[in-house]
Amino acid sequence: MSKFKRTLITTALPYANGPIHIGHLAGVYVPADIYARYLRLKNEDVIMIGGSDEHGVPITLKAKNEGVTPQDIVDRYHGIIKDSFEKFGISFDVYSRTSAPIHHETASEFFKKLYDEGKFIEQTSEQYFDEENKQFLADRYIIGTCPKCGFEKAYGDQCESCGTSLSPTELINPTSTISGNKPVLKETKHWYLPLDQYEPWLREWILEGHQEWKPNVYGQVKSWIDGGLQPRAVTRDLDWGVPVPVEGTDGKVLYVWFDAPIGYISATKELTENWETYWKDPETRMLHFIGKDNIVFHCIIFPSMLKAEGTFNLPENVPANEFLNLENDKISTSRNWAVWLHEYLEEFPGKEDVLKYVLTANAPETKDNDFTWKDFQARNNNELVAILGNFVNRALVLTNKYYDGVVPALGELSDYDKEALAEIGKIKAEVEKSIDNFRIRESLKNAMDLARLGNKYLADEEPWKVVKTDPERVNTIMNICLQITANLTICLEPFLPFSMEKLRGFLNLGKMDWEHFGSTELLPVGHQVNKPELLFEKIEDATIDAQIQKLLDTKKANDAANAVAKPAKENCSFDDFMKMDIRTGTILEAELVPKTKKLLKLKIDTGIDQRTVVSGIAEYYQPENIIGKQVSILVNLEPRKIRGIESQGMILMAEDADGSLKFVSPVDKVKNGSEVR
Ligand SMILES: [Zn+2]
């Protein structure tokens, strides 16, 4: 990378209609953060850009549903997102937002330049229009049946069932999502970026010029280009977004996918006056960290925009990740199937690095991967605690015990000592090789090899035994252990920044540059270290079980929300119905039937008499809470014995979608014995 003097890292802009979850982190922000921290540790000139994507139809629809403004929605989620990133330690140099004036200005200028230079095609076409609301229906404002798979709730821009990208006019039976009306076709003018004209150039630039890109990225780009590129609209009929900066275009804004990537430029402007150096100097290397759903936008559309503009650099690499699943199911915001970052931070205080570690060790770099809570626990307990934490703890505890925390001098080195020390440099080379090639998961494994080395060296040398026979030798062993520990603070700094800060505190050591990694004299003889605390703590089964239960509850709630009422039973005659004698009654007494979990023994005033009924409702009602409650009771059901108690009738219950039971009670109080019919 000698031809570059500096690096600009962009991270996909999270869409501000929900908080951040582990899928976002694993796909984009954790690898980008590790890479940026690594370059900073090497004293390279690097900036990392982030920000919220705040335009587009899903935000306006959410606002409409909640009866608030789109600005309210983006303010809420931008706040949550920015705050949780900060607490989690994603080290953006700037975290901006696309509703900021500087972005509106930048995106406007960008469009205007392309417009003035004739880089767009103007095209009038018929688009669906809601006559009741006097509004064109872009993207998700329209639903209908997918022409490919027949799914009845496909959106105007995409079918979420089969994944096909659609245009609203392709939908069968289109309906406005605002009014529910059938829309009419009406002429409207839009501007298009003629991607087809950029095809030969894209082939040369990527397919020939960037064969080093990750296979998943290169392959997707190739299939898009081979499939033939079409002109793509860059404007929309919508009232939320960056207004089209052309006279006579009221009610039109830039398409969110045109304005969002320009957000990287606006954010850089917000960060530094020197922004053009990062965007236009050919000695700057631009990297886009994104998830696989954004590949087409960052490898084809945005580069074509930059090419059309003419003065900007193009990305040097786009190390996109695949998707992370959660417990074998696709992560979904609408189904609440996710581990939310802001919730994790509250539920696992001080464990930012643990999540960062697990998401990196299990990163979906080459294929989709799965996050499970059991794996989270195992990696914490078996790797962070048992290898890394255990090694540094023993090294520091023994140093305190034998030398009052003063670093002892090296004596004569054995072959094994020399081997161990030489290994440090080899590990450094391995870490660099993988991280320089965006194999972040592998680089973490390489980095953890240093902790494994220390752990093994300590276990093999057994200073706690040697100290009894050859205390001189122990000086050398402990010096080597301490040098390995000091090297860990550099080696793992990009991956576990909070923990390494802690470890530097134990070692009484300042932060060191990457170039010092590999030195075997980081801690001088006579240096005083501190008494250590635990670097990582074990995560217990109960903690993990609670998280799994939380997901099970989500699944149950989703099932209940999606439950459909059972079809009606066969008809019965009026006379048959009238045979059932249902009355209202009041619960006088209630107690659990001994040795059962589900049964309550109730005494009911039916207006006719007072009688005993056994009812299977103990899981849903506490006896003390239902005394005095009015219920409906079938009084002429044949009495039967349940657990030795004669039950004289049956309390009517409504069974909810999740299987829980609720009393069927009169809304207003009635006299006991009133007939229900
Ligand atoms: Zn479909």
Side-chain angles (χ1 to χ4, degrees):
M1 54 165 281
S2 51
K3 75 186 219 219
F4 296 109
K5 279 190 177 159
R6 67 189 74 75
T7 303
L8 168 67
I9 294 176
T10 73
T11 55
L13 305 184
Y15 198 57
N17 73 338
I20 289 293
H21 56 61
I22 53 169
H24 299 123
L25 292 173
V28 179
Y29 307 101
V30 167
D33 181 64
I34 290 170
Y35 195 75
R37 284 176 185 271
Y38 164 70
L39 294 187
R40 289 188 200 113
L41 217 50
K42 289 176 83 174
N43 279 317
E44 289 194 19
D45 183 354
V46 54
I47 55 172
M48 180 161 121
I49 301 298
S52 304
D53 175 5
E54 305 188 323
H55 296 138
V57 169
I59 282 167
T60 58
L61 278 181
K62 196 178 181 87
K64 204 168 183 93
N65 285 340
E66 292 187 20
V68 298
T69 66
Q71 191 66 49
D72 291 334
I73 297 285
V74 301
D75 285 349
R76 182 198 307 161
Y77 290 111
H78 173 75
I80 296 175
I81 293 170
K82 187 167 191 252
D83 179 64
S84 55
F85 272 147
E86 226 166 82
K87 289 181 178 148
F88 191 57
I90 299 295
S91 57
F92 296 112
D93 290 287
V94 58
Y95 189 82
S96 188
R97 55 193 306 192
T98 60
S99 66
I102 194 168
H103 174 68
H104 276 234
E105 205 176 280
T106 308
S108 234
E109 279 170 15
F110 197 106
F111 180 93
K112 195 72 178 26
K113 184 173 180 209
L114 266 57
Y115 176 85
D116 289 342
E117 291 177 357
K119 297 286 167 72
F120 297 131
I121 335 176
E122 251 179 64
Q123 211 170 296
T124 301
S125 64
E126 291 197 309
Q127 304 266 322
Y128 282 118
F129 185 81
D130 187 321
E131 285 186 304
E132 191 181 322
N133 288 277
K134 306 260 172 288
Q135 187 180 335
F136 278 101
L137 302 169
D139 308 322
R140 300 192 168 205
Y141 275 113
I142 191 158
I143 54 168
T145 303
C146 170
K148 290 263 160 73
C149 74
F151 179 60
E152 287 178 1
K153 285 180 179 163
Y155 293 117
D157 56 350
Q158 195 188 29
C159 169
E160 293 211 324
S161 180
C162 68
T164 308
S165 87
L166 299 167
S167 82
T169 46
E170 290 177 88
L171 293 174
I172 303 162
N173 290 327
T175 313
S176 161
T177 53
I178 316 170
S179 64
N181 295 339
K182 205 171 162 55
V184 297
L185 284 168
K186 198 176 161 180
E187 283 199 339
T188 179
K189 186 162 76 179
H190 282 290
W191 288 270
Y192 292 74
L193 185 65
L195 286 178
D196 45 325
Q197 294 175 17
Y198 294 83
E199 197 182 303
W201 164 72
L202 284 166
R203 278 187 187 280
E204 191 188 330
W205 172 56
I206 303 179
L207 299 188
E208 287 164 38
H210 279 301
Q211 296 184 358
E212 82 284 6
W213 284 9
K214 289 173 65 178
N216 58 329
V217 178
Y218 186 90
Q220 213 191 101
V221 171
K222 185 171 185 322
S223 88
W224 274 85
I225 296 178
D226 288 347
L229 300 173
Q230 305 294 326
R232 196 173 175 98
V234 297
T235 52
R236 280 285 189 267
D237 290 298
L238 206 66
D239 57 4
W240 175 246
V242 179
V244 173
V246 175
E247 199 118 347
T249 56
D250 285 357
K252 294 186 196 294
V253 297
L254 304 186
Y255 183 26
V256 63
W257 258 108
F258 185 84
D259 98 65
I262 298 173
Y264 299 142
I265 304 171
S266 324
T268 316
K269 277 189 184 173
E270 192 181 309
L271 174 69
T272 166
E273 280 181 359
N274 206 15
W275 69 273
E276 281 181 299
T277 313
Y278 287 96
W279 279 93
K280 300 186 176 182
D281 184 339
E283 289 185 317
T284 299
R285 174 176 69 140
M286 175 157 71
L287 303 172
H288 295 315
F289 280 80
I290 56 168
K292 71 170 163 189
D293 49 337
N294 279 334
I295 290 174
V296 59
F297 296 107
H298 286 79
C299 297
I300 292 181
I301 300 174
F302 188 44
S304 298
M305 287 162 57
L306 295 172
K307 178 79 177 164
E309 202 278 348
T311 67
F312 285 88
N313 292 336
L314 297 167
E316 182 59 23
N317 207 328
V318 183
N321 274 349
E322 300 288 294
F323 284 156
L324 185 72
N325 295 323
L326 170 60
E327 303 279 355
N328 288 310
D329 198 354
K330 207 177 155 204
I331 292 178
S332 158
T333 300
S334 56
R335 286 187 295 124
N336 191 26
W337 191 255
V339 176
W340 301 104
L341 179 56
H342 63 293
E343 291 183 1
Y344 176 88
L345 291 166
E346 271 184 23
E347 290 164 16
F348 293 88
K351 291 191 168 41
E352 297 85 1
D353 281 353
V354 177
L355 183 60
K356 212 172 265 177
Y357 179 85
V358 174
L359 294 177
T360 307
N362 200 17
E365 277 180 12
T366 51
K367 59 173 178 59
D368 290 358
N369 251 345
D370 198 32
F371 176 95
T372 69
W373 280 109
K374 288 281 180 207
D375 178 64
F376 170 86
Q377 181 189 29
R379 289 197 187 271
N380 177 77
N381 292 357
N382 305 340
E383 297 172 23
L384 290 176
V385 175
I387 299 170
L388 174 58
N390 183 41
F391 166 63
V392 304
N393 188 259
R394 285 197 293 175
L396 284 158
V397 165
L398 292 177
T399 303
N400 274 290
K401 183 171 168 192
Y402 301 151
Y403 314 108
D404 280 333
V406 177
V407 177
L410 276 181
E412 205 182 318
L413 296 182
S414 70
D415 284 349
Y416 189 53
D417 295 340
K418 287 178 194 161
E419 233 172 77
L421 290 172
E423 195 60 31
I424 302 176
K426 285 184 199 157
I427 289 171
K428 180 184 185 183
E430 291 292 317
V431 175
E432 288 175 345
K433 197 171 124 197
S434 30
I435 202 167
D436 285 339
N437 287 294
F438 306 107
R439 293 194 302 265
I440 313 285
R441 186 175 64 197
E442 190 181 316
S443 69
L444 173 61
K445 196 178 151 289
N446 298 146
M448 279 297 282
D449 281 343
L450 187 56
R452 288 189 190 94
L453 170 75
N455 223 18
K456 181 165 188 317
Y457 178 82
L458 195 59
D460 289 344
E461 291 296 319
E462 299 181 304
W464 48 88
K465 280 190 189 161
V466 179
V467 75
K468 291 169 201 152
T469 53
D470 187 359
E472 196 74 356
R473 169 67 192 149
V474 173
N475 293 355
T476 300
I477 299 172
M478 291 317 300
N479 183 294
I480 289 175
C481 286
L482 288 168
Q483 303 304 343
I484 293 175
T485 307
N487 270 285
L488 279 170
T489 66
I490 310 173
C491 173
L492 285 170
E493 168 67 21
F495 306 93
L496 304 169
F498 292 100
S499 310
M500 291 309 108
E501 194 184 352
K502 232 163 134 184
L503 182 53
R504 287 194 298 271
F506 302 162
L507 286 171
N508 187 20
L509 190 67
K511 194 169 167 179
M512 287 176 295
D513 298 338
W514 189 261
E515 62 170 331
H516 292 101
F517 179 12
S519 161
T520 54
E521 291 166 348
L522 293 179
L523 289 172
V525 174
H527 175 87
Q528 177 77 48
V529 302
N530 294 318
K531 287 210 161 57
E533 292 159 32
L534 286 182
L535 200 53
F536 298 99
E537 53 189 26
K538 222 177 143 191
I539 294 175
E540 302 297 336
D541 288 347
T543 307
I544 293 305
D545 291 345
Q547 291 298 329
I548 293 172
Q549 188 56 47
K550 194 169 154 188
L551 288 172
L552 288 175
D553 290 346
T554 298
K555 208 152 232 179
K556 222 168 154 185
N558 285 338
D559 289 348
N562 294 330
V564 189
K566 285 182 198 152
K569 293 177 187 169
E570 241 176 83
N571 285 351
C572 72
S573 67
F574 183 72
D575 290 343
D576 280 346
F577 173 70
M578 288 309 286
K579 281 182 199 158
M580 287 191 281
D581 191 351
I582 305 169
R583 308 290 182 109
T584 52
T586 298
I587 300 173
L588 300 176
E589 291 169 16
E591 62 183 270
L592 193 67
V593 176
K595 292 181 192 160
T596 71
K597 280 182 186 159
K598 295 186 177 176
L599 299 179
L600 289 188
K601 179 180 162 192
L602 308 173
K603 188 183 229 185
I604 311 280
D605 180 351
T606 65
I608 312 163
D609 52 24
Q610 292 187 358
R611 56 170 80 186
T612 300
V613 175
V614 177
S615 184
I617 56 172
E619 284 175 293
Y620 314 107
Y621 289 103
Q622 296 292 327
E624 60 271 23
N625 294 339
I626 59 175
I627 311 272
K629 223 176 182 28
Q630 275 205 319
V631 296
S632 308
I633 172 171
L634 179 61
V635 292
N636 63 339
L637 187 69
E638 293 275 356
R640 58 186 184 125
K641 279 216 164 162
I642 301 173
R643 296 277 174 143
I645 305 163
E646 187 173 81
S647 181
Q648 301 154 323
M650 186 170 80
I651 310 288
L652 300 193
M653 306 298 298
E655 186 176 341
D656 205 351
D658 63 1
S660 64
L661 300 174
K662 310 265 157 54
F663 289 123
V664 178
S665 306
V667 175
D668 300 311
K669 205 170 163 62
V670 295
K671 202 165 161 30
N672 287 336
S674 301
E675 282 184 64
V676 177
R677 41 174 202 240

